[in-house]
Amino acid sequence: MIELRGGKTAPRLLDDLNNYDPRRPSTVGCNLLVNLPKQNENGELPIPVSRHKNQCRHQWDTKDSQCYLPLIIGRPDPKAVSTVAAFCEHCRCHLDLSIQFPSGGASSCPSQESPLHHFVYCPEVSQPRLKSSNAAKVESSACWEDLLWFQCSTSQCSARLRIRTSSPHLRPHWVDLLTNKELIKTRAKQAMSDDPARFEGHAVPFPSEVLSNLRTYILNALRDDTRRTIPAHNKRWLLCLGDPCAELLEYIGFVCEGDDWLVPRADTSAVAPVSNPINILLEDVEKELLALLLQRPDDEKRASKVQYGMTSASQYIGKALGAEKYDQNPASRTNTSYDEEHPFYPTLGAKLDFHDDLIKFSYERQLMSDPEGTPYYLEALQGIAGGRKSEDLQTSVAIEASSGKISAHDIRKAYDALGLDLGSEYLDDDHIIGTFQSRAADSPRQEPELRRALQIIGQHRSSQRIQSMASKTVTNIEQALSWLGATDDMDDNFILAMYKVKEEENPAEEATARHAVALIAQHRNSGALKQWLETGILGEVDMDVGQAYNRLQIDDRTIDDDFVLTAFDLHYQEAPSQIDDLRSALKAIAKDRNSSALNSFLNSNMGTSEYPLAEWPVGLRNIGNTCYLNSLLQFYFTIKPFRELVLDFDEYKRDATIDNLKENTIGSRNVSKHEVQRAQRFVRELQKLFQGMITSPKTFIEPELELARLTLLSQPVEADLRRSSTIGGHRPSLGEINGRPILGPAAPPNSHVIEANENTENRPAESRTHDIVGNGEEDKSSEPTLLGNDPAQEAIDQEMSDLLPEQTQQQSQKQQLLDDKENLPPSEAATERSTTPGQNPDPFAEVSLSRANGWHSITDGNHQLPDSHNPNKAQDAVIDPPSRPPPYPPRPLPEENKDKIIRQTQEIQMGAQQDVTEVISNVLYQLECAIRATSFDTSGEQIDQIKDMFFGKTKSYTQNLRGDFETKEQFFSYLFVDVASGPKNIYEALDGAFDVQQVQVDDTYQPQYSTISQLPPVLNVLVQRAQFDQKQSSAFKSVNHLELEETIYMDRYIDSDDKDLIQRRTESWEWKQQLRQLEAREQDLMNTDLEMDVPDLLDATIGCLDQLSSEDDIGVTANLQEAMKAAAVEVREELNCNAIKTNIRDLTSSVRSQFIDRQTLPYRLQSAFIHRGDATSGHYWIYIRDFKRNLWRKYDDEKVSQVTHISQIFDEDKSKRPATPYFLVYVRDDLKDAFVDPVCRDIPEQPTAQNDVKSINTAAKNVPKNMSALYRAQVDGGLYKAQVQGGQGTTAVSGDWFEADYVKPQAW
């Protein structure tokens, strides 16, 4: 059986809705509202989703106060959710149908192009009741809810439809209390016997009177604001209801006070659509009572004198769906009930009375929604066209067939023609082709028909080999390989061998075989095969992959593509003349890995730009472990307002006078004159870089060393580092530039350490905020710096060179180059923000100097590594403050301290690591220091263009012991999200920054949650990946996948007094708490220390107890054994029934769909900073979106390339060292064109070779005939020459020519 996944037109959906009964599943186990008829491969008609014998044909009537219908007048309101609330007067089920248009309704259906909505089911957010075909099981639950979501499939329409059906409130035994004459008589007689005098002359009420009286009480509660009391002696109350109905009455909202009853209290001032749960419940029950009254015998209804006027909801549902008017088939019959329709109509999501044009529209929408079902939809179109004898539809069928589409009917006929079983699992291409060849040989006259059948089978199976056999043509690589009987992994020698076999079998097909080889040669870009086609001699065959790895000296074949390219670059720099051989090796590895990255590199002419320079961004050269810096600079360059601010800095420059700075604070701290001057130098350097990125005629430029220094280090930290560098100590080498060593910092004195087991979440809320925002105090922290030579470093380097033989050092250096392209990994200030999986950092961080430059060592003076890493138990390398005489100069260290040197070097290098977020904070702080304020807030905090671009505000709500909320608002420049606990999507990660959590205030824990009170145009999101392993006492990187979205909607996080939004947040928090409990319970049952689940563990324990019970001296009681067995049965049943998994799945679906209709604040993903590596090594690059050109680019230092498959950005990397996003940038959707401009090039016209030749020829006129002139030019690092022989012309190249040297001719 084949299940189709197409949609339904609005009239089809409306008709199915009237027959859809969630209480009773279809007899074929399908969902009438969701599923299309199942298809048979054996030629039988599609199986319709038949109705249950007791299924209700609904008669929907409105619940007026719960309806909101703005759609009935004019076009849809993009901000309104139109709701039709109804109940069935037969089965009393409730219906809540809502439709909205998140993107507006200006071009929604119906329109000229799309006359009807075409709704496609959304299973990922739906929660259907019908999950089993067992009717008894489904009907066993009295209370249920069925939630289904649909999306209009037409491109111009954003309609989202939600259909929620739910069970009646009045349960069967309550209905029995109200309508069973014997039960009514029993309680009425009891009341009469309790007080005969009062009830003299009163009769037992009819069920209609009981229903009518209860309904009257409810209607009065809905209309009257005063809460009435029903006295205990009220005769009508006692005869009809009384205490026997207490359970029902309390459910509705009646309250018993002593012997009296208080009626429910409703909100009589509420306007439609009401949201008060009490009002909704009372109206629902009142409508159910009305339905029960309608079902009473006529004589009872006449006696009750109740008005039974109800408004049919069908017309409103039809208008909401746009299904009330549509073109009908003039020849259609008036009775179009579902049972009389051919299954072809519901297969297309259409109706019997549809006009031919609507039949074609339904067919086209099904193909767009479910391309894989094309044969069955085409068969339905064929059947309807034949049944109606419609020339228009038959013409459409012919057009579809001529375009290459085949119907299920055609497929079955094709298999029958060859005598093949369509459903056989043993059918393969060889068997099909063999059958065809056999039948064609036996019946040559039938070969054309057989070949047509074979063509259809090949198309059905997507087999190029079969289609090639059927068509006798070879037009693409798949057909070429199939025709030769080869596969893509066969080498060129084997391809030629298969060619010779084909040629020997049938010399007449030599041309076809040769054409097949040509296609393969072109596809592989095989020089060997191309040479054979031209000369008949096979050229050099592609290098074997094993030889390729050996050629590049790569021992580990699992290393990443980045490291393969590093090895390639290394060998190319050593021997440029061997480029062809190196490219052959790289090509073989790329083919073996099927690597798009390596193939892209090969096709890009080894990194030279394949794009016009004026239309492509410039790359940035890595000047020494600065890949993360290059990524950051590229990101800032693409933000147009930021770039313009830097380029036009003089317009924004601050006047750095003392009076001007006196009242100025940035990041809650005052700014010094020296900081302003330094910050303005930084902006000047950044300005020079941006100007170079715009005007350079090259594919990449090199950032200045001074810019790197000013970017990486703030002024206080730089001064601190210089002081600490005079003390000595090991500073890690970051490489050299033009012979200058680039060294990291020595460990600063008194480095602050947050212990690994210190839980920042459990500290007071004020303290927790202080960690993130900062109060302006300098923390004497450190970042990598660029300093000169250091004697201590030279001593340690000498010691290490003595410890390692020369050959070992060379191998180590080369292997390090291959294993670690960038020795500057991300760290997130490793130990300060490291958390265990159960801990979450504060999600908001404001820029401050202390926060921007935080550096914390892995250990302090009181903490020692495990003995295995510290055999001599030496003290930590951090040097105390200079309260005693300075230490002796470094001396050669003894051999036994080798391990200590290595360990200390690793620790200092880890402490010196930086990530993008640290540098971002320093950049933003310096930009704010350099420019003047546009205004100040009430606290004196500077407001400027940087804050306007990148800063938002959050508001935290902390509930105190009195139940009141205390609020605090603060700036943030990026949001923290955490993936330590496992893979998450972007919303789940963001939720962790805003959801309610318990924080410690003084000695109590109080609930706290956060919202965003002001969203920035550019929203930065930091992915917290640096974690700390307490057992290993080391940092590690969490590589859990973060599922990104191109567009996120921030409505759910915005600060608002919208009651509906607040209620949804509360529900979502409750569901997440339940999820955590269920997941913990599942883990408890499935995982134990003995590597078995709890049921198996209990069984093993029971077996042990059985053995022990035979021992006389061990008192194992029978009760204990029985209790253990009962516990084992109970736990196993809990696991086997899958209740936990089902509840987890349902709750997860509820959480993910909770805010699906809140989509008014879209943000688009603009940049993704990516890191590959671990906590101690790795490489950064960045992906940046170009919205104007609708493409992504990858910025990897010098290389800027187009991303051909965005899956490398959004899909999970499952390699051993996965590339993971570390920092994300989202831009407000309505500002993306104004804020994002990645390409900004204005390249001045360059001198040309023609101009140079002209100038040389002019100069040659002045050269004597017996002399020669030598013109020399230094261009791009190379010496170019032009020789001029007097009177004989010249030979010249491009360059700025200068300096003519005259020599005698014999000197040349």
Side-chain angles (χ1 to χ4, degrees):
M1 303 297 290
I2 306 297
E3 290 189 13
L4 302 178
R5 302 188 181 277
K8 297 184 179 184
T9 59
R12 171 83 267 160
L13 190 67
L14 175 58
D15 198 60
D16 289 346
L17 179 60
N18 292 332
N19 291 286
Y20 176 58
D21 191 345
R23 301 171 304 165
R24 301 178 178 90
S26 165
T27 55
V28 293
C30 291
N31 187 314
L32 175 62
L33 205 56
V34 170
N35 299 121
L36 299 175
K38 290 187 176 182
Q39 307 295 314
N40 282 302
E41 289 187 344
N42 57 10
E44 298 179 6
L45 292 177
I47 301 176
V49 184
S50 56
R51 296 171 56 189
H52 191 278
K53 61 180 180 180
N54 296 324
Q55 188 170 319
C56 178
R57 170 74 179 182
H58 299 299
Q59 176 60 51
W60 299 113
D61 297 311
T62 60
K63 297 185 288 187
D64 296 333
S65 71
Q66 300 177 43
C67 294
Y68 180 65
L69 304 170
L71 281 173
I72 296 179
I73 303 175
R75 301 299 298 177
D77 182 355
K79 297 182 179 179
V81 179
S82 304
T83 302
V84 179
F87 71 101
C88 176
E89 62 184 54
H90 301 316
C91 67
R92 298 181 289 112
C93 290
H94 295 271
L95 169 68
D96 181 11
L97 182 145
S98 63
I99 188 169
Q100 60 178 324
F101 300 84
S103 301
S107 58
S108 63
C109 306
S111 63
Q112 185 174 359
E113 296 79 13
S114 302
L116 293 170
H117 285 299
H118 181 261
F119 290 110
V120 177
Y121 177 56
C122 303
E124 63 278 3
V125 293
S126 297
Q127 300 176 42
R129 169 176 164 77
L130 300 184
K131 299 176 182 177
S132 170
S133 60
N134 188 333
K137 181 177 180 180
V138 174
E139 291 185 37
S140 63
S141 177
C143 299
W144 52 267
E145 180 178 279
D146 181 80
L147 179 62
L148 305 175
W149 281 89
F150 299 84
Q151 171 78 50
C152 184
S153 70
T154 55
S155 58
Q156 74 277 12
C157 182
S158 63
R160 284 198 177 102
L161 174 66
R162 187 192 71 172
I163 299 176
R164 184 176 70 89
T165 50
S166 56
S167 60
H169 292 282
L170 297 179
R171 298 166 191 167
H173 67 282
W174 290 345
V175 174
D176 205 30
L177 276 175
L178 300 175
T179 59
N180 187 308
K181 291 183 178 181
E182 291 300 322
L183 294 178
I184 296 172
K185 181 179 178 180
T186 299
R187 62 176 179 267
K189 290 293 186 182
Q190 180 64 43
M192 292 176 184
S193 64
D194 290 342
D195 194 350
R198 285 191 76 237
F199 289 98
E200 184 177 356
H202 285 75
V204 174
F206 287 105
S208 58
E209 294 179 70
V210 176
L211 296 168
S212 178
N213 286 333
L214 180 55
R215 180 170 175 265
T216 300
Y217 288 126
I218 293 175
L219 287 173
N220 290 338
L222 288 168
R223 297 168 182 167
D224 191 349
D225 196 24
T226 60
R227 193 169 192 183
R228 297 186 177 183
T229 300
I230 303 173
H233 59 271
N234 185 296
K235 290 186 283 186
R236 184 173 63 173
W237 174 266
L238 293 172
L239 289 174
C240 294
L241 300 166
D243 292 343
C245 299
E247 182 189 18
L248 165 62
L249 296 171
E250 290 173 351
Y251 173 81
I252 298 173
F254 287 82
V255 176
C256 181
E257 287 194 352
D259 294 332
D260 298 336
W261 286 85
L262 294 177
V263 299
R265 173 172 289 174
D267 183 4
T268 58
S269 63
V271 297
V274 298
S275 59
N276 188 318
I278 295 296
N279 288 49
I280 293 174
L281 173 62
L282 291 177
E283 185 180 22
D284 287 356
V285 173
E286 183 268 325
K287 296 302 183 184
E288 291 184 33
L289 293 172
L290 190 58
L292 291 172
L293 277 167
L294 197 63
Q295 297 169 14
R296 300 309 302 168
D298 290 341
D299 57 340
E300 283 193 34
K301 288 189 286 187
R302 286 193 297 269
S304 64
K305 299 180 181 179
V306 176
Q307 299 295 327
Y308 295 96
M310 290 184 283
T311 304
S312 173
S314 298
Q315 58 175 327
Y316 299 111
I317 299 174
K319 288 182 179 180
L321 297 178
E324 77 281 13
K325 294 180 181 179
Y326 54 86
D327 294 336
Q328 297 185 341
N329 179 20
S332 65
R333 295 172 294 173
T334 57
N335 185 353
T336 60
S337 66
Y338 185 89
D339 289 335
E340 296 179 354
E341 281 185 327
H342 193 284
F344 285 153
Y345 286 97
T347 296
L348 293 182
K351 289 189 62 179
L352 177 64
D353 62 351
F354 271 16
H355 190 275
D356 286 355
D357 290 340
L358 288 182
I359 295 292
K360 290 189 288 184
F361 167 76
S362 302
Y363 168 76
E364 291 166 359
R365 294 317 311 161
Q366 296 295 61
L367 262 59
M368 290 295 294
S369 305
D370 182 21
E372 294 181 0
T374 297
Y376 302 100
Y377 300 130
L378 181 56
E379 180 182 34
L381 184 65
Q382 284 178 334
I384 295 173
R388 289 190 173 189
K389 297 182 174 58
S390 166
E391 293 184 2
D392 190 16
L393 293 181
Q394 289 174 346
T395 300
S396 296
V397 171
I399 292 174
E400 292 296 279
S402 65
S403 67
K405 294 185 178 68
I406 54 175
S407 71
H409 176 70
D410 296 332
I411 294 171
R412 289 190 290 270
K413 283 183 59 179
Y415 278 88
D416 290 342
L418 291 179
L420 299 172
D421 181 7
L422 175 60
S424 174
E425 59 180 314
Y426 303 106
L427 210 57
D428 57 19
D429 289 1
D430 290 333
H431 181 72
I432 293 171
I433 292 174
T435 302
F436 161 75
Q437 292 173 336
S438 175
R439 293 204 170 215
D442 292 341
S443 304
R445 294 183 179 181
Q446 296 181 2
E447 182 175 347
E449 296 177 10
L450 295 174
R451 195 171 292 280
R452 169 60 183 161
L454 187 65
Q455 179 70 34
I456 292 174
I457 294 173
Q459 188 175 347
H460 172 243
R461 297 173 64 92
S462 299
S463 170
Q464 291 291 338
R465 183 183 176 195
I466 293 178
Q467 293 184 63
S468 175
M469 175 62 68
S471 61
K472 284 188 174 181
T473 59
V474 177
T475 60
N476 54 46
I477 181 62
E478 290 81 7
Q479 291 178 347
L481 291 169
S482 175
W483 197 88
L484 289 175
T487 59
D488 198 30
D489 58 351
M490 295 177 178
D491 62 23
D492 293 347
N493 283 315
F494 197 88
I495 295 295
L496 282 187
M498 298 304 295
Y499 163 83
K500 293 176 181 178
V501 170
K502 284 289 185 181
E503 184 183 30
E504 292 173 359
E505 288 180 349
N506 189 353
E509 293 182 339
E510 189 271 339
T512 303
R514 191 174 184 82
H515 179 58
V517 174
L519 287 173
I520 296 172
Q522 182 179 2
H523 174 72
R524 294 182 174 185
N525 194 22
S526 168
L529 290 179
K530 289 179 180 179
Q531 181 176 332
W532 177 83
L533 289 167
E534 293 175 359
T535 65
I537 300 174
L538 182 65
E540 182 181 357
V541 180
D542 290 342
M543 186 180 295
D544 176 74
V545 67
Q547 295 175 335
Y549 279 109
N550 289 333
R551 178 66 183 84
L552 295 181
Q553 297 183 5
I554 298 175
D555 297 330
D556 182 6
R557 297 193 183 188
T558 64
I559 63 173
D560 300 321
D561 290 347
D562 290 337
F563 301 126
V564 173
L565 289 175
T566 302
F568 175 88
D569 289 337
L570 175 65
H571 288 286
Y572 174 67
Q573 294 297 331
E574 292 176 350
S577 60
Q578 299 178 11
I579 181 61
D580 292 337
D581 191 41
L582 294 172
R583 283 180 61 88
S584 296
L586 189 62
K587 180 181 177 182
I589 295 174
K591 180 179 178 181
D592 178 64
R593 294 182 171 209
N594 192 25
S595 168
S596 58
L598 297 182
N599 283 320
S600 176
F601 178 82
L602 287 165
N603 295 333
S604 64
N605 195 23
M606 287 182 53
T608 59
S609 178
E610 57 186 297
Y611 311 99
L613 289 179
E615 301 175 9
W616 204 251
V618 68
L620 296 177
R621 187 171 186 176
N622 192 315
I623 61 173
N625 306 320
T626 56
C627 55
Y628 63 90
L629 175 62
N630 289 343
S631 298
L632 180 64
L633 295 173
Q634 291 284 15
F635 156 62
Y636 278 131
F637 184 81
T638 65
I639 302 300
K640 187 177 180 181
F642 184 95
R643 184 175 69 223
E644 291 175 346
L645 183 149
V646 172
L647 294 173
D648 301 329
F649 173 54
D650 289 333
E651 297 182 15
Y652 306 96
K653 183 179 178 182
R654 178 197 298 274
D655 179 12
T657 63
I658 300 299
D659 292 338
N660 183 43
L661 301 176
K662 192 172 297 181
E663 303 298 329
N664 197 174
T665 62
I666 299 175
S668 303
R669 67 183 295 275
N670 295 111
V671 182
S672 69
K673 181 178 180 180
H674 184 69
E675 283 181 307
V676 171
Q677 293 171 341
R678 186 182 188 278
Q680 291 179 348
R681 292 202 310 272
F682 160 71
V683 179
R684 290 296 185 195
E685 292 294 330
L686 188 60
Q687 185 183 61
K688 284 167 40 180
L689 176 73
F690 281 6
Q691 289 170 344
M693 294 172 73
I694 295 173
T695 60
S696 174
K698 302 177 182 179
T699 60
F700 66 88
I701 64 174
E702 181 174 308
E704 293 289 338
L705 200 62
E706 178 69 2
L707 174 62
R709 184 183 68 82
L710 292 171
T711 305
L712 298 176
L713 295 178
S714 62
Q715 181 269 332
V717 173
E718 182 180 19
D720 205 28
L721 285 175
R722 290 190 183 278
R723 286 193 297 271
S724 64
S725 68
T726 63
I727 302 174
H730 177 202
R731 287 178 290 165
S733 173
L734 304 180
E736 292 185 355
I737 299 176
N738 297 329
R740 289 185 59 190
I742 309 302
L743 302 178
N750 290 337
S751 296
H752 173 67
V753 178
I754 293 182
E755 294 294 345
N757 58 358
E758 182 177 349
N759 188 344
T760 59
E761 283 193 357
N762 294 332
R763 286 181 285 165
E766 293 298 326
S767 173
R768 184 165 168 256
T769 304
H770 171 82
D771 283 347
I772 306 304
V773 178
N775 62 358
E777 296 180 2
E778 299 174 11
D779 62 358
K780 307 297 182 186
S781 55
S782 170
E783 292 182 356
T785 185
L786 308 172
L787 303 175
N789 293 330
D790 181 74
Q793 173 64 47
E794 294 173 356
I796 295 179
D797 289 345
Q798 179 62 43
E799 177 67 19
M800 294 304 297
S801 65
D802 293 338
L803 295 175
L804 298 175
E806 180 178 359
Q807 183 178 2
T808 305
Q809 290 185 51
Q810 294 175 353
Q811 294 175 350
S812 175
Q813 292 169 1
K814 180 168 289 189
Q815 191 61 39
Q816 173 66 19
L817 178 61
L818 297 182
D819 291 344
D820 186 9
K821 179 182 177 182
E822 298 295 341
N823 191 25
L824 195 60
S827 79
E828 342 293 77
T831 57
E832 178 182 14
R833 296 205 307 270
S834 296
T835 62
T836 57
Q839 300 172 342
N840 295 318
D842 191 291
F844 313 112
E846 180 184 0
V847 168
S848 70
L849 184 62
S850 60
R851 185 74 192 97
N853 302 291
W855 183 76
H856 304 280
S857 64
I858 297 302
T859 65
D860 63 11
N862 299 320
H863 178 75
Q864 294 190 5
L865 295 175
D867 289 347
S868 60
H869 297 282
N870 187 14
N872 300 313
K873 300 185 178 179
Q875 293 182 345
D876 193 275
V878 176
I879 303 173
D880 292 331
S883 59
R884 56 183 183 274
Y888 289 105
R891 292 177 171 83
L893 299 176
E895 178 71 19
E896 60 267 23
N897 285 338
K898 176 178 66 176
D899 292 339
K900 176 183 174 182
I901 295 173
I902 296 173
R903 178 176 60 81
Q904 291 177 342
T905 301
Q906 292 172 343
E907 289 175 2
I908 295 173
Q909 287 178 333
M910 182 180 296
Q913 300 308 327
Q914 282 295 311
D915 67 1
V916 174
T917 60
E918 309 294 350
V919 186
I920 283 178
S921 299
N922 192 32
V923 168
L924 296 183
Y925 178 78
Q926 291 195 88
L927 257 295
E928 289 197 272
C929 287
I931 63 177
R932 60 180 177 268
T934 57
S935 63
F936 299 91
D937 67 7
T938 56
S939 66
E941 178 72 17
Q942 171 172 312
I943 307 299
D944 49 46
Q945 289 82 0
I946 295 300
K947 274 200 170 62
D948 292 341
M949 274 186 270
F950 300 104
F951 284 72
K953 287 185 177 180
T954 61
K955 183 182 286 188
S956 62
Y957 291 81
T958 306
Q959 190 173 26
N960 57 33
L961 297 178
R962 299 187 304 275
D964 301 326
F965 280 97
E966 299 174 359
T967 63
K968 180 178 180 180
E969 193 172 47
Q970 62 182 8
F971 283 106
F972 73 92
S973 60
Y974 47 81
L975 303 177
F976 280 108
V977 300
D978 185 21
V979 293
S981 59
K984 296 178 181 178
N985 62 38
I986 184 64
Y987 286 116
E988 292 169 341
L990 284 171
D991 287 350
F994 298 96
D995 284 353
V996 68
Q997 56 184 320
Q998 295 294 320
V999 298
Q1000 186 175 359
V1001 180
D1002 297 329
D1003 296 327
T1004 63
Y1005 285 91
Q1006 298 174 5
Q1008 182 187 83
Y1009 70 93
S1010 300
T1011 62
I1012 298 179
S1013 56
Q1014 177 182 314
L1015 277 165
V1018 181
L1019 179 65
N1020 296 328
V1021 180
L1022 163 66
V1023 184
Q1024 178 74 12
R1025 293 195 178 276
Q1027 307 296 325
F1028 191 82
D1029 188 332
Q1030 294 182 351
K1031 294 182 178 179
Q1032 300 295 328
S1033 295
S1034 62
F1036 71 94
K1037 172 187 173 183
S1038 169
V1039 296
N1040 289 322
H1041 178 55
L1042 177 63
E1043 182 182 339
L1044 303 180
E1045 296 282 351
E1046 285 199 68
T1047 304
I1048 60 174
Y1049 299 91
M1050 301 300 292
D1051 305 63
R1052 65 187 69 184
Y1053 308 116
I1054 204 71
D1055 191 62
S1056 171
D1057 56 2
D1058 185 339
K1059 294 182 179 179
D1060 178 64
L1061 178 60
I1062 295 172
Q1063 181 181 353
R1064 293 193 192 194
R1065 283 178 184 156
T1066 304
E1067 290 176 349
S1068 179
W1069 296 338
E1070 292 173 352
W1071 292 338
K1072 290 174 185 175
Q1073 178 62 24
Q1074 295 174 29
L1075 265 175
R1076 287 190 288 269
Q1077 294 172 353
L1078 287 169
E1079 290 167 349
R1081 175 61 176 167
E1082 185 179 37
Q1083 287 295 317
D1084 289 343
L1085 294 179
M1086 296 298 296
N1087 300 317
T1088 65
D1089 294 339
L1090 299 179
E1091 298 183 354
M1092 62 176 67
D1093 59 24
V1094 172
D1096 290 342
L1097 185 60
L1098 289 173
D1099 288 342
T1101 304
I1102 291 169
C1104 182
L1105 290 176
D1106 289 341
Q1107 293 179 359
L1108 293 175
S1109 62
S1110 61
E1111 301 290 337
D1112 295 336
D1113 56 343
I1114 299 179
V1116 178
T1117 65
N1119 290 339
L1120 175 60
Q1121 291 176 291
E1122 292 300 323
M1124 293 292 292
K1125 291 178 181 178
V1129 171
E1130 181 180 351
V1131 172
R1132 194 172 298 280
E1133 288 179 352
E1134 185 177 0
L1135 280 177
N1136 291 341
C1137 71
N1138 288 325
I1140 294 179
K1141 293 185 181 296
T1142 301
N1143 289 335
I1144 289 176
R1145 183 175 62 251
D1146 292 346
L1147 282 171
T1148 301
S1149 176
S1150 297
V1151 170
R1152 291 187 175 182
S1153 63
Q1154 180 74 335
F1155 301 96
I1156 194 172
D1157 56 344
R1158 295 274 182 165
Q1159 299 186 357
T1160 62
L1161 296 173
Y1163 273 69
R1164 302 288 294 278
L1165 182 62
Q1166 186 262 343
S1167 295
F1169 290 75
I1170 306 297
H1171 176 262
R1172 185 191 298 279
D1174 50 36
T1176 58
S1177 63
H1179 177 57
Y1180 270 111
W1181 66 90
I1182 186 173
Y1183 296 106
I1184 298 180
R1185 176 75 181 272
D1186 188 334
F1187 293 104
K1188 294 179 181 178
R1189 297 167 178 81
N1190 192 28
L1191 57 86
W1192 284 90
R1193 296 185 183 91
K1194 179 181 179 180
Y1195 296 71
D1196 189 356
D1197 290 337
E1198 297 90 343
K1199 306 168 193 172
V1200 181
S1201 56
Q1202 182 174 345
V1203 177
T1204 55
H1205 301 287
I1206 63 172
S1207 58
Q1208 62 184 276
I1209 306 174
F1210 293 94
D1211 290 358
E1212 181 177 6
D1213 183 351
K1214 297 184 179 180
S1215 62
K1216 288 185 177 181
R1217 285 163 55 97
T1220 54
Y1222 246 89
F1223 197 83
L1224 309 172
V1225 180
Y1226 282 89
V1227 179
R1228 213 172 78 189
D1229 182 64
D1230 59 333
L1231 296 177
K1232 64 180 184 297
D1233 293 331
F1235 268 69
V1236 181
D1237 183 27
V1239 181
C1240 182
R1241 303 292 292 271
D1242 185 11
I1243 304 172
E1245 184 177 355
Q1246 302 298 310
T1248 63
Q1250 291 182 351
N1251 292 336
D1252 295 331
V1253 171
K1254 182 178 179 181
S1255 63
I1256 293 297
N1257 285 332
T1258 301
K1261 297 178 180 179
N1262 299 320
V1263 179
K1265 292 185 179 180
N1266 62 341
M1267 300 290 288
S1268 294
L1270 173 63
Y1271 285 82
R1272 296 177 297 181
Q1274 189 80 19
V1275 181
D1276 290 340
L1279 180 65
Y1280 294 87
K1281 302 176 182 179
Q1283 179 183 357
V1284 178
Q1285 183 68 41
Q1288 297 182 11
T1290 182
T1291 301
V1293 297
S1294 61
D1296 295 326
W1297 295 92
F1298 67 97
E1299 189 181 349
D1301 290 341
Y1302 292 93
V1303 295
K1304 294 182 179 180
Q1306 59 266 26
W1308 291 94

